[in-house]
Amino acid sequence: MRKLVYYVAITLDGYIAAEDGTFDGFIFEGDHMAGINAEYPDTLPTQFRSALGLEDAPNRHFDTVLMGRNTYQVPGGLASPYAHLRQFVVSSSLTDTPDDVEVIREDVVGRVRELKAEDGLDIWLCGGGKLAAELLPEIDKLLFKIHPVVFGRGIPVFGGKVDITKFERTNAQLFESGVSFMTYERS
């Protein structure tokens, strides 16, 4: 069975973006970039994969991406940001998407369970916080790129009421850039 993996960059105080949906405080240069991009080339937007010469890199962990509408429509975003993956956007109002982006309008938990039952690589939940809160019972693994910055307010990593859920840290990488990459699996 495939896993639902919440892989996201977060601040020290637990935000995935500023209130306006931007993430200017995150570090996009440094020793963490090469290592993480090499291990997770599937999580780079298709246009960045091409720019970095990774367009032919095989998907190592994910063949499907799931995102909320605000993550999909991030300012300056692309209509098909992850064309190398099967793309799903959760939204009750979104109507204009390319053919390779499927919109899930209702019963997101049921649809995620169907996706998890399929054969293939894992499913990447790339945001947002409200969707992550709704799907917490289905999340099997957390991959957090923790940046040494405090936003003070913004979009929380889990944006809604959630039940206490325990995870076990299974890996930790520390980089000179100050970014730490933490892996947690459901206990």
Side-chain angles (χ1 to χ4, degrees):
M1 180 176 251
R2 303 189 322 159
K3 293 180 179 177
L4 179 62
V5 180
Y6 188 24
Y7 173 55
V8 66
I10 65 172
T11 64
L12 291 172
D13 54 346
Y15 294 104
I16 60 174
E19 290 176 308
D20 64 358
T22 60
F23 31 84
D24 295 338
F26 291 126
I27 301 169
F28 293 103
E29 296 178 355
D31 62 327
H32 66 282
M33 293 299 292
I36 293 172
N37 290 347
E39 182 62 27
Y40 293 95
D42 19 1
T43 64
L44 293 168
T46 302
Q47 109 178 20
F48 295 134
R49 284 169 59 108
S50 296
L52 295 172
L54 297 171
E55 62 270 0
D56 295 328
N59 293 334
R60 297 185 61 176
H61 299 278
F62 306 109
D63 61 12
T64 303
V65 62
L66 178 66
M67 58 197 124
R69 184 187 55 78
N70 289 335
T71 300
Y72 174 69
Q73 292 184 318
V74 68
L78 306 169
S80 181
Y82 301 103
H84 56 284
L85 301 173
R86 236 171 112 194
Q87 302 174 88
F88 293 89
V89 177
V90 176
S91 173
S92 60
S93 61
L94 190 63
T95 58
D96 189 26
T97 60
D99 290 342
D100 64 340
V101 177
E102 182 179 323
V103 178
I104 300 173
R105 299 189 193 293
E106 54 190 37
D107 190 20
V108 65
V109 172
R111 185 66 175 117
V112 165
R113 287 177 179 158
E114 290 172 2
L115 292 170
K116 286 174 75 172
E118 294 175 358
D119 289 331
L121 298 176
D122 288 338
I123 303 156
W124 171 32
L125 172 58
C126 75
K130 288 181 185 176
L131 181 58
E134 181 179 352
L135 290 175
L136 181 57
E138 295 301 318
I139 294 174
D140 302 292
K141 189 175 191 178
L142 303 170
L143 299 176
F144 288 160
K145 291 182 289 186
I146 304 170
H147 290 252
V149 63
V150 173
F151 281 5
R153 60 189 175 283
I155 300 170
V157 67
F158 291 101
K161 184 179 178 184
V162 296
D163 291 331
I164 293 173
T165 306
K166 295 192 181 217
F167 288 84
E168 176 183 340
R169 189 189 73 219
T170 56
N171 194 26
Q173 292 177 275
L174 306 176
F175 296 94
E176 290 298 318
S177 64
V179 171
S180 47
F181 189 77
M182 308 299 281
T183 303
Y184 299 91
E185 302 214 28
R186 187 174 287 279
S187 297

